[in-house]
Amino acid sequence: MTVRILALVGSLRAASHNRQLAEAAVRLAPEGVEVALHEGLASVPFYNEDVDVEGDVPGAAAELRRAVGDADALLLFSPEYNGTIPAVLKNAIDWLSRPFGAGALSGKPVAVVGTAFGQYGGVWAQDEARKAVRIAGAAVADDLTLSIPASVTRFAETHPVDDAEVTARLVEVLAGLAGRVGVAA
């Protein structure tokens, strides 16, 4: 059985270090694990109950829900914007939390990792993301963490996939998250 992990990146920038970290996860997935990077978060409209109507959900939001529903686990890559979670990631969580009590996150194993410019590697944003997905019903893997500080200098000339310390820790997170599949439900 292959464990399917879906990666959501909280930065829309093409050259984002968090996107590069997610690309590294795709390449480094251990045997029996497949990581897919979800594209399209920029197209998901801000959550609004008036447009979240069964049978008429905006296409990008419906696709996000379907992709998360089809995945065995979710790996969030969060930068830190002004000390907290980026709006695009929070918006995705809001769409995935509905319908209340039966959203795509319900019982889904989720880990949160990331990198940021500051000295703490985005831990505040990652903590906020864990809180939000937990409230949305996910089975949060609090012990599977990776916060990489000083991304601007650390990855100035090196892609995360070429950083031995980062890759070793990322593989540990992927293996740990895959191990939660079937346990969280």
Side-chain angles (χ1 to χ4, degrees):
M1 173 186 134
T2 298
V3 173
R4 297 168 318 221
I5 297 174
L6 186 67
L8 299 182
V9 180
S11 174
L12 300 178
R13 230 172 26 88
S16 153
H17 295 124
N18 280 283
R19 181 176 181 82
Q20 291 176 0
L21 193 59
E23 291 166 352
V26 170
R27 290 174 57 185
L28 297 168
E31 187 173 335
V33 177
E34 175 185 297
V35 179
L37 180 55
H38 184 76
E39 304 289 355
L41 288 186
S43 300
V44 177
F46 281 114
Y47 184 79
N48 177 345
E49 285 184 78
D50 292 341
V51 299
D52 188 5
V53 178
E54 189 174 341
D56 198 28
V57 172
E63 173 55 24
L64 174 64
R65 284 178 173 168
R66 185 205 58 75
V68 171
D70 289 347
D72 298 311
L74 199 57
L75 184 56
L76 306 182
F77 292 83
S78 184
E80 189 167 275
Y81 293 173
N82 297 312
T84 193
I85 185 174
V88 68
L89 194 53
K90 177 62 168 73
N91 187 51
I93 294 167
D94 290 344
W95 276 102
L96 295 169
S97 71
R98 300 291 190 263
F100 182 73
L105 289 172
S106 225
K108 186 90 49 185
V110 176
V112 182
V113 298
T115 185
F117 175 71
Q119 65 180 338
Y120 302 113
V123 294
W124 292 345
Q126 292 172 34
D127 287 346
E128 291 292 320
R130 285 184 198 92
K131 180 176 92 173
V133 293
R134 179 176 289 109
I135 290 169
V140 179
D142 288 312
D143 59 323
L144 300 176
T145 63
L146 175 58
S147 301
I148 307 162
S151 61
V152 172
T153 54
R154 184 163 189 164
F155 302 126
E157 296 180 21
T158 303
H159 191 285
V161 78
D162 297 320
D163 183 313
E165 178 188 4
V166 169
T167 59
R169 294 193 51 218
L170 188 55
V171 168
E172 288 175 12
V173 169
L174 292 169
L177 186 57
R180 303 291 167 93
V181 172
V183 176

